[in-house]
């Protein structure tokens, strides 16, 4: 239901508090006092069956039915057992939004009461926030419908949490740091309104410049990731997530197979959404202060200037542990430092120790040198007060000279008495200041992490190495359906090899035999020495060592030199499985040539499934005799080549390949291509529950999967909507074969080339002003779209590539036109734009693209399509009229507003929203 009626929570035009009384301990009375002290200036009532004439001067009514008109928002503070009836009574008079502050352990323990409340909410058609929440505050609208213990200051930061008590503490922390809120919401049990709904609403609020999130659990991962990615493209988003350990998790979710800590999946999801995650509440405000004051640096190289080596060493430990780098000075910087004689410990090296006798002038001289070094991304200045360099005097000197330094400066003035005044001066000057060296480094790492996650969100990746096809999907679906028909929840080793082959993933040459006689004959077809694996039900399950540390190699015999040894191995392995695992039927025996002597890297890769966030791609070191999970990193699909390489670089295996391989770039590319294929497999095969390739050998011959397992489950939904392959189609237009397909991130080069073929008039018709060149950020926004909320169809054709070298592809793709839509979160209204290359006007391409987009929008249930056209764009006006759009001239703006009704509203709320959208 997304943002349905949410405006009433954040901008109510009238409000009632149910259960308010004049008693000091009354929850409703506290809420009413907060509303009055916040100077809420809209109609306000109280309801209490005890029949008070008024509560704190506010008119009090005995029954909900006695209200003079339906209020926009009802704040419910009544006893728990009365909640279902209160919801029914509010619904009866037409209330559409209710905030339930009541709650407690009894609601959790009494399932019947919780069930009755849920039924009442569904029956009412109301939006309900809570129960057991702190409430809602929007200081700019004089709304404080909370039981907070102190006033909430106005600001540009929104806080969304799931705990009322933590929300109360957050208000106090913010007050101590002089941070104000644009919105403050805690959602409590989230029986109806959930976190993504509120994020969607706040994405529409220009006042919200930063978003602080406290997460306990994630429900509806697709909606959560969609809303969060939209938010982080336009504002800073910081998150703190409880439940890093199983003991701190309220939901009894199972562990994710093949992953040591489920929390790593949350970490990957937040990073993919462009969100900076912090570990504790104090760090949340430190990160907010840093990221709101400083732009992220180009890299992670930090220089340190200190008046003592001890604090600098503490900072270095924190920096290296956090994944940052200690900057190495260039030759010019080293020479200047040596000539100045400033460093008393290790002249010319980082960190710069000015010594205990350092004066303010020494600090400025060192900074003048270091901040000119191109190999330095930021500078941390540490100071412990001495008689020669008192805290305040040194701080004032640095503040006065700050305009001279192009590098980002962070400072830590240590101490709690003399340094306190200096830190306050830095804060007033806009220079982030921290109590300790470790906190300052942690703040720098926030900047580095924010730059990294935002880069992942906006990068334009290179071309995809692989496209699946309907034939590939059909072949793999047939294998899966046949396995399920036979009552098996996993594929055999041989069937999994067929799936890998369909996606272009090479596996070791194998022969699958039923007994020792077939095994002996198979040795004639494969060169030795050999390995034999008995394939039985239990070892066709991926990540089985995740539960069972033992018997990892109990089904395998290796380095068999003679056919007779192969026969003996088949017999021995069969007897062992029959004895130790009688419940696990044997499917076959797999015979392979040993893969030794090629200088191979042993890797592992695969797909697992998380209970909250769905399919996850895993990668790391591999092999039978190591702890593979010690080097396992994860990423959410879909992946492109850049995201795949980023996943590889986070592993020890990836770092070793880059450091020691003769052709590291080519080998990393091979592995990244495999990960992209796994990502496509996860999208194409929703019944695929887990897939493990281990060991996966990387050597001079390429990348080969030696052992693998694949199991099946219920249909999965990816947290990030994958590329919609099914929407591709090929048509003939003006004698040419043209493919019309959804855009993807890899199309950025096509967009750049397309833009150069547009006239100034075509660009003006599309953007309403001239735009000669598209920036990298604009290219990312145009090519990397969220298919859950946006769609863009591009028309492309293949043409001869005159610049192709011998042996290269002789044709290239060129883009002919594009049509786009942007849906609102409730899928009520979508806004379109279209642009076609100038030399292709008049051949029907614009109509083709518009008709495809109209069909798509109708199919996904959008109610209305709208767009704005310049008045002199006569060809577009004619096309829209032919397509059935209603055109209205907006004389004030000098444009034509086009509207096309696509679907009929299915509810009163949809009709209301549709009418509001068309006003």
């Amino acid at each position: 239901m997304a943002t349905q009626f949410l405006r009433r929570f954040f901008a109510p035009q009238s409000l009632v508090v149910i259960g308010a009384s004049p008693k000091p301990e009354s929850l409703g009375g506290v809420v009413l006092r907060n509303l009055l002290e916040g100077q809420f200036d809209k109609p306000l009532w109280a309801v209490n069956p005890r029949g008070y004439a008024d509560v704190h001067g506010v008119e009090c009514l005995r029954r909900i039915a006695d209200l003079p008109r339906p209020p926009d928002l009802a704040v419910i503070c009544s006893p728990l057992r009365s909640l279902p009836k209160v919801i029914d009574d509010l619904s009866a008079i037409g209330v559409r939004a209710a905030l339930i502050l009541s709650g407690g352990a009894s609601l959790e323990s009494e399932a019947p009461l919780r069930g009755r409340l849920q039924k009442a909410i569904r029956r009412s058609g109301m939006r309900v926030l809570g129960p057991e929440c702190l409430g809602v505050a929007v200081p700019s609208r004089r709304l404080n419908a909370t039981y907070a213990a102190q006033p909430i200051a106005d600001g540009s930061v929104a806080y969304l949490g799931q705990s009322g008590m933590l929300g109360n503490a957050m208000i106090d922390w913010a007050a101590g740091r002089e941070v104000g809120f644009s919105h403050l919401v805690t959602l409590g049990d989230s029986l109806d309104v959930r976190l993504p709904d509120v994020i969607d609403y706040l994405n529409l609020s220009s006042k919200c410049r930063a978003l602080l999130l406290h997460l306990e659990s994630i429900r509806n991962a697709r909606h959560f990731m969609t809303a969060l990615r939209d938010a982080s493209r336009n504002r800073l988003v910081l998150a703190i997530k409880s439940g890093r350990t199983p003991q701190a998790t309220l939901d009894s979710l199972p562990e994710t197979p093949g992953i040591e800590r489920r929390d790593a999946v949350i970490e990957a999801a937040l990073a993919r959404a462009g969100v900076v995650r912090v570990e504790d509440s104090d760090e949340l405000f430190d990160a907010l202060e840093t990221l709101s004051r400083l732009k992220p640096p180009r890299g992670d190289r930090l220089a340190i200037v200190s008046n003592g080596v001890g604090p600098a060493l503490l900072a270095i430990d924190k920096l290296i542990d956090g994944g940052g780098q200690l900057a190495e000075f260039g030759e010019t910087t080293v020479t200047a430092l040596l000539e100045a004689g400033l460093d008393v410990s290790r002249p010319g090296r980082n960190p710069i120790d000015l010594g205990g006798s350092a004066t303010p002038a020494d600090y400025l001289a060192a900074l003048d040198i270091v901040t000119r070094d191109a190999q330095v991304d930021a500078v941390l200045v540490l100071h412990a007060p001495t008689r020669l360099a008192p805290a305040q005097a040194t701080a004032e000197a640095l503040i006065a000279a700050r305009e001279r330094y192009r590098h980002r400066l962070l400072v830590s003035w240590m101490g709690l008495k003399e340094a306190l005044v200096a830190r306050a001066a830095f804060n007033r000057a806009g220079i982030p200041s921290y109590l300790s060296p470790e906190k300052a480094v942690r703040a720098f790492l926030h900047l580095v992490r924010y730059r990294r996650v935002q880069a992942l969100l906006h990068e334009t990746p290179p071309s995809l190495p692989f496209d699946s096809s309907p034939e590939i999907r059909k072949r793999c679906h047939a294998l899966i359906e046949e396995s399920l028909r036979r009552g098996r929840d996993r594929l055999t080793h041989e069937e999994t090899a067929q799936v890998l082959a369909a996606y272009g993933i090479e596996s070791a040459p194998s022969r699958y035999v039923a007994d020792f006689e077939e095994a002996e004959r198979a040795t004639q077809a494969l060169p030795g020495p050999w390995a034999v694996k008995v394939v039985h039900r239990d070892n066709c399950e991926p990540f089985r060592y995740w539960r069972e540390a033992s018997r990892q190699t109990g089904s395998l015999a290796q380095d068999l030199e003679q056919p007779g040894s192969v026969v003996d191995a088949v017999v021995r392995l069969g007897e062992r499985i029959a004895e130790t695992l009688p419940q696990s039927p044997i499917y076959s025996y797999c015979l392979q040539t040993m893969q030794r002597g090629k200088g191979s890297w042993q890797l592992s890769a695969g797909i697992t499934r998380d209970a909250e966030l769905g399919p996850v791609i895993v990668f790391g070191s591999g092999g039978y005799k190591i702890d593979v999970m010690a080097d396992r990193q994860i990423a959410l699909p879909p992946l492109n080549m850049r995201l795949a390489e980023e996943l590889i670089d986070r592993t020890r295996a990836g770092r070793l390949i880059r450091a020691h391989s003769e052709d590291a770039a080519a080998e990393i590319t091979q592995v990244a291509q495999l990960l992209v294929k796994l990502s496509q497999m996860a999208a194409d095969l929703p019944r695929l529950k887990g897939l493990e390739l281990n060991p996966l050998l990387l050597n001079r011959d390429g990348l080969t999967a030696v052992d693998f397992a694949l199991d099946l489950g219920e249909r999965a939904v990816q947290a990030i909507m994958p590329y919609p392959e099914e929407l591709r189609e090929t048509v003939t237009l003006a004698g040419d074969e043209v493919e019309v397909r959804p855009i993807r991130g890899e199309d950025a080069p096509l967009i750049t080339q397309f833009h150069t073929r547009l006239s100034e008039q075509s660009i003006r018709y599309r953007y309403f002003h001239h735009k000669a060149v598209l920036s990298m950020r604009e290219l990312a926004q145009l090519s990397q779209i969220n298919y859950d909320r946006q769609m863009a169809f591009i028309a492309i054709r293949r043409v001869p590539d005159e610049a192709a070298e011998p042996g290269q592809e002789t044709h290239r793709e060129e883009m002919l036109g594009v049509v786009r839509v942007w849906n609102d979160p409730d899928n009520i209204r979508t806004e379109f734009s279209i642009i076609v290359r100038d030399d292709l006007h008049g051949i029907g391409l614009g109509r083709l693209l518009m008709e495809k987009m109209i069909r798509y929008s109708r199919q996904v249930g959008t109610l209305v399509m709208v767009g704005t056209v310049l008045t002199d764009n006569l060809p577009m006006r004619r096309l829209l009229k032919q397509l059935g759009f209603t055109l209205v001239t907006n004389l004030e703006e000098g444009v034509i507003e086009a509207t096309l009704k696509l679907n009929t509203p299915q509810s009163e709320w949809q009709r209301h929203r549709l009418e509001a959208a068309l006003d």
Side-chain angles (χ1 to χ4, degrees):
M1 289 164 59
T3 65
Q4 178 178 351
F5 297 132
L6 291 195
R7 179 195 60 77
R8 299 171 187 244
F9 289 102
F10 301 105
Q13 298 305 299
S14 56
L15 189 149
V16 62
V17 180
I18 313 294
S21 88
K23 296 178 181 178
E25 69 278 9
S26 164
L27 178 63
V30 171
V31 173
L32 204 55
R33 283 201 302 272
N34 280 345
L35 285 164
L36 295 172
E37 290 172 5
Q39 299 181 351
F40 183 69
D41 56 358
K42 302 295 189 293
L44 179 63
W45 304 278
V47 170
N48 193 307
R50 294 185 179 273
Y52 300 112
D54 67 85
V55 176
H56 303 311
V58 175
E59 179 186 2
C60 184
L61 306 163
R62 188 182 292 272
R63 299 181 308 154
I64 290 171
D66 296 336
L67 286 165
R69 66 173 187 270
D72 265 4
L73 177 64
V75 181
I76 304 174
C77 306
S78 304
L80 285 175
R81 292 191 174 279
S82 69
L83 292 180
K85 184 178 186 307
V86 170
I87 293 293
D88 286 340
D89 291 347
L90 289 170
S91 174
I93 66 167
V95 175
R96 289 290 171 258
L99 186 60
I100 303 180
L101 276 59
S102 313
S106 56
L107 185 63
E108 289 296 323
S109 60
E110 294 192 26
L113 174 58
R114 188 183 185 88
R116 289 201 308 275
L117 180 56
Q118 287 176 314
K119 286 180 181 178
I121 292 171
R122 284 195 294 269
R123 190 167 57 238
S124 70
M126 295 167 57
R127 298 310 307 271
V128 174
L129 201 157
E132 201 173 0
C133 65
L134 171 65
V136 171
V138 185
S140 64
R141 293 187 176 273
R142 300 181 179 182
L143 176 67
N144 182 4
T146 74
Y147 56 85
Q150 60 180 294
I152 301 171
D154 188 18
S156 59
V157 176
Y159 171 76
L160 305 183
Q162 293 173 293
S163 163
M165 288 301 102
L166 190 57
N168 255 317
M170 197 63 65
I171 293 168
D172 194 56
W173 274 317
R177 292 176 177 242
E178 298 181 349
V179 173
F181 292 101
S182 64
H183 302 77
L184 185 139
V185 187
T186 68
L187 292 100
D189 282 354
S190 297
L191 291 186
D192 174 40
V193 175
R194 296 186 175 178
L195 189 68
D197 300 331
V198 182
I199 295 174
D200 277 334
Y201 180 85
L202 293 183
N203 282 341
L204 307 174
S205 170
S206 58
K207 185 168 176 57
C208 169
R209 298 180 60 188
L211 186 56
L212 308 185
L213 300 177
H214 166 244
L215 307 172
E216 290 178 355
S217 61
I218 296 171
R219 304 172 188 175
N220 192 337
R222 170 74 60 81
H223 188 186
F224 173 79
M225 289 297 291
T226 297
L228 205 54
R229 283 161 63 83
D230 280 353
S232 61
R233 287 183 186 276
N234 300 299
R235 56 181 58 82
L236 169 65
V237 183
L238 302 171
I240 179 172
K241 170 71 169 68
S242 55
R244 286 180 176 270
T245 61
Q247 294 84 352
T249 304
L250 297 178
D251 296 326
S252 55
L253 292 172
E255 286 294 311
T256 304
I259 294 176
E260 198 163 26
R261 294 183 308 111
R262 248 208 89 244
D263 186 68
V265 183
I266 306 296
E267 188 84 39
L270 294 176
R272 184 66 183 275
V275 174
V276 175
R277 183 180 184 179
V278 297
E279 294 187 8
D280 54 57
S281 307
D282 195 36
E283 186 184 354
L284 190 67
F285 283 107
D286 280 347
L288 174 64
E289 180 179 13
T290 306
L291 291 166
S292 60
R293 290 186 173 186
L294 292 179
K295 291 183 178 179
R298 296 187 308 271
D300 56 2
R301 300 166 300 180
L302 182 67
I304 301 173
V305 179
S306 175
N307 65 344
V309 72
L313 296 179
L314 291 174
I316 292 170
D317 280 342
K318 187 74 173 178
L319 177 70
I320 303 305
D321 286 346
Q325 292 188 63
L326 191 63
E328 294 186 8
F329 295 144
E331 291 183 10
T332 303
T333 301
V334 172
T335 301
L337 288 171
L338 292 174
E339 290 176 352
L342 293 168
D343 196 330
V344 300
S345 294
R346 302 189 304 169
R349 298 173 65 185
N350 192 10
I352 299 171
D353 176 15
L354 301 175
S357 60
T359 64
D362 293 333
Y363 270 96
L364 298 185
L367 287 171
D368 282 336
I369 296 169
V370 173
T371 55
R372 294 193 183 100
D373 195 326
Q375 295 175 204
V376 173
D377 296 311
V379 181
L380 170 60
V381 185
L382 304 177
H383 180 273
T386 67
R387 286 190 178 274
L388 289 173
Q392 188 171 354
T394 308
E396 288 172 352
L398 183 57
I399 291 167
R402 69 185 185 278
E403 298 297 334
R404 292 172 11 201
Y405 309 128
R406 63 181 181 85
H407 282 66
R408 291 148 185 82
L409 291 183
L410 300 95
V411 302
S412 173
W413 255 233
M414 294 169 282
L416 284 174
K417 187 176 181 182
E418 187 179 345
L420 191 63
V421 176
R423 286 198 296 271
F426 279 125
N427 287 332
R428 286 193 299 271
I431 299 175
S433 172
Y434 305 92
L435 187 63
S436 68
E438 296 90 338
K439 281 196 170 188
V441 170
R442 188 171 65 176
F444 170 69
L445 293 173
H446 290 151
L447 291 167
V448 171
R449 195 176 310 131
Y450 184 59
R451 176 185 56 80
R452 181 177 71 84
V453 298
Q454 285 291 304
L456 292 178
L457 194 65
H458 292 100
E459 269 188 337
T460 54
S463 298
L464 279 171
F466 175 80
D467 280 328
S468 67
S469 66
E471 292 75 22
I472 289 174
R473 295 193 289 273
K474 184 177 180 180
R475 198 184 324 159
C476 295
H477 282 302
L479 282 170
I480 291 171
E481 293 305 321
E482 178 62 17
S483 178
L484 293 171
R485 188 185 66 78
R486 293 185 178 188
R488 288 193 278 116
D489 63 352
R490 59 204 69 182
L491 299 190
T492 67
H493 201 272
E494 184 174 8
E495 291 166 342
T496 302
Q498 294 177 50
V499 172
L500 298 180
Y503 281 84
I505 298 173
E506 184 178 343
S507 59
S510 305
R511 294 292 184 273
Y512 295 92
V513 299
D515 53 34
F516 68 87
E517 293 177 338
E518 290 186 14
E520 186 174 26
R521 289 195 296 272
T523 59
Q524 306 303 313
L526 286 175
W530 301 278
V532 173
K533 175 179 178 176
V534 55
V535 181
H536 57 94
R537 183 187 182 281
D538 281 11
N539 71 359
C540 288
E541 178 188 5
F543 313 111
R544 64 191 182 282
Y545 51 82
W546 167 66
R547 290 195 308 268
E548 300 176 24
S550 62
R551 294 200 296 271
Q552 288 189 35
T553 59
S555 303
L556 181 68
Q558 300 184 66
D559 296 306
L560 305 173
E561 300 283 350
Q562 302 296 328
S565 301
V566 172
V567 170
D568 291 342
V570 168
V571 173
R572 186 174 68 254
L573 291 172
E575 290 175 348
R576 182 185 299 168
I577 297 303
E579 179 182 348
T580 58
L581 297 169
Q583 79 288 352
S584 182
I586 294 174
Y587 298 138
S588 64
Y589 298 87
C590 176
L591 180 68
Q592 294 179 349
T593 300
M594 288 296 299
Q595 302 289 315
R596 296 200 193 280
K598 299 179 182 179
S600 300
W601 298 98
Q602 287 202 42
L603 310 172
S604 67
I607 305 167
T608 187
R609 186 184 294 184
D610 181 72
E612 278 184 327
L613 288 153
V616 177
I617 307 298
V618 301
F619 174 74
S621 300
Y624 294 115
K625 297 182 179 180
I626 67 164
D627 180 5
V628 295
M629 291 203 289
D631 186 39
R632 180 158 285 165
Q633 294 291 327
I634 63 177
L636 264 62
L639 297 183
N640 55 42
M641 288 295 286
R642 290 252 166 81
L643 291 169
E645 288 180 12
E646 191 272 339
L647 169 59
I648 295 165
D649 289 341
R650 282 190 273 126
T651 64
R652 184 172 182 270
R655 292 191 291 273
L656 288 173
I657 293 170
R658 289 204 185 273
H660 301 292
S661 174
E662 292 182 0
D663 193 357
E667 293 189 345
I668 291 293
T669 297
Q670 288 182 63
V671 178
Q673 289 174 346
L674 176 130
L675 295 175
V676 172
K677 292 174 182 179
L678 293 181
S679 170
Q680 187 64 53
M681 197 182 295
D684 291 345
L685 309 175
R687 295 298 298 266
L688 190 159
K689 182 181 176 185
L691 168 66
E692 182 180 16
L693 314 179
N694 181 32
L696 182 66
L697 301 185
L698 176 65
N699 52 44
R700 60 179 178 269
D701 295 336
L703 196 58
T704 304
V706 176
D707 200 7
F708 30 82
L710 187 156
D711 65 353
L712 308 171
E714 296 298 320
R715 297 178 68 86
V717 175
Q718 290 187 198
I720 301 173
M721 187 172 175
Y723 183 77
E725 282 276 349
E726 69 280 2
L727 296 177
R728 301 171 79 140
E729 65 174 315
T730 301
V731 299
T732 300
L733 191 66
D736 289 329
E737 191 175 86
V738 174
E739 183 181 25
V740 182
R741 61 167 173 81
I743 204 165
R744 57 192 181 196
E746 292 76 10
D747 291 324
L750 288 179
I751 297 173
T752 301
Q753 182 193 38
F754 172 76
H755 195 77
T756 64
R757 302 286 297 272
L758 299 174
S759 67
E760 186 173 331
Q761 183 184 59
S762 289
I763 293 172
R764 185 175 66 86
Y765 282 162
R766 165 61 179 86
Y767 298 103
F768 289 22
H769 63 274
H770 183 55
K771 186 183 288 287
V773 178
L774 296 172
S775 68
M776 291 301 294
R777 188 179 183 89
E778 288 171 327
L779 280 173
Q781 290 172 340
L782 291 171
S783 59
Q784 296 188 38
I785 67 172
N786 188 338
Y787 300 111
D788 209 28
R789 296 272 174 85
Q790 300 167 255
M791 182 51 68
F793 291 121
I794 62 170
I796 58 173
R797 69 181 174 193
R798 294 179 61 78
V799 296
D801 188 356
E802 297 175 358
E805 298 289 338
Q808 290 183 337
E809 174 64 50
T810 59
H811 286 71
R812 61 178 175 82
E813 289 184 338
E814 67 172 7
M815 183 171 154
L816 313 179
V818 58
V819 61
R820 299 176 179 276
V821 290
W822 294 263
N823 287 19
D824 67 32
D826 304 309
N827 200 27
I828 298 295
R829 160 186 168 139
T830 192
E831 185 174 354
F832 78 87
S833 72
I834 183 170
I835 188 167
V836 172
R837 224 169 64 187
D838 290 69
D839 59 324
L840 299 172
H841 289 181
I843 65 170
L845 180 56
R847 174 182 287 273
L848 173 73
L849 290 171
M850 283 297 298
E851 287 177 343
K852 183 173 178 68
M853 187 60 81
I854 290 168
R855 288 195 303 273
Y856 166 80
S857 296
R858 282 201 170 108
Q859 181 184 344
V860 298
T862 311
L863 298 187
V864 65
M865 181 180 286
V866 300
T868 304
V869 182
L870 290 176
T871 54
D872 61 337
N873 191 349
L874 300 179
M876 191 66 207
R877 291 169 61 178
R878 282 195 298 271
L879 174 60
L880 293 177
K881 202 162 188 63
Q882 292 167 8
L883 292 171
F885 280 80
T886 300
L887 305 182
V888 176
T889 302
N890 184 329
L891 295 175
E892 185 177 343
E893 299 290 336
V895 296
I896 304 293
E897 294 174 349
T899 304
L900 178 67
K901 293 186 178 180
L902 301 171
N903 287 296
T904 303
Q906 300 299 306
S907 68
E908 178 189 346
W909 173 76
Q910 281 192 331
R911 282 189 289 273
H912 168 76
R913 276 296 312 275
L914 181 59
E915 290 167 3
L918 296 179
D919 279 347

